[in-house]
Amino acid sequence: QLQLVESGGGLVQPGGSLRLSCAASGFTLDYYAIAWFRQAPGKEREGVSCISSSGGFTNYEDSVKGRFTISRDNAKNTVYLQMNSLKPEDTGVYYCASCEACSGYVCYDGMDYWGKGTLVTVSS
């Protein structure tokens, strides 16, 4: 079964850190760009960050620049999102998606595979 699986979410206090993982099952991530999205309660899904297939290009939505870092380990077939200095407004379900290429911090021309998401809650 071809799928992406996110993990690493949880409850963290403001100022804390989490590292999310996006692992591919049934296919290799080598040829795909990967984007992270999030959806806060009652809000639409929004793009957070994108990384090219080689890892040579990364981009971030303005509110997470300097706090989040996207990276990939193609040998492990996994993409990561390191989130530092977390804020309550970062709360939401985080999803990863594969696509042909990045367009800024989102995918260009549609997504191929989506994960089911991992919940991040930032609260004291």
Side-chain angles (χ1 to χ4, degrees), residues 34-99:
I34 299 295
W36 283 97
F37 297 82
R38 67 186 178 188
Q39 187 166 19
K43 295 188 177 181
E44 293 188 354
R45 188 171 55 200
E46 63 176 1
V48 175
S49 182
C50 191
I51 186 168
S52 63
S53 58
S54 68
F57 172 87
T58 60
N59 209 337
Y60 302 90
E61 191 271 330
D62 283 348
S63 70
V64 307
K65 282 181 180 177
R67 301 188 297 121
F68 290 12
T69 303
I70 192 170
S71 62
R72 65 191 301 152
D73 185 341
N74 285 347
K76 294 184 177 180
N77 221 22
T78 302
V79 170
Y80 304 99
L81 186 68
Q82 178 68 44
M83 307 187 296
N84 299 329
S85 302
L86 283 162
K87 304 176 181 180
E89 51 264 44
D90 294 317
T91 293
V93 179
Y94 283 69
Y95 303 88
C96 61
S98 62
C99 54

Side-chain angles (χ1 to χ4, degrees), residues 2 4 24-32 34 72 74-75 77 98 113:
L2 308 180
L4 294 171
S25 176
F27 68 105
T28 178
L29 287 179
D30 290 19
Y31 306 111
Y32 292 92
I34 299 295
R72 65 191 301 152
N74 285 347
N77 221 22
S98 62
Y113 302 106

Side-chain angles (χ1 to χ4, degrees), residues 94-116:
Y94 283 69
Y95 303 88
C96 61
S98 62
C99 54
E100 181 177 347
C102 297
S103 177
Y105 57 83
V106 296
C107 282
Y108 173 79
D109 200 24
M111 282 66 72
D112 301 301
Y113 302 106
W114 282 92
K116 293 183 178 180

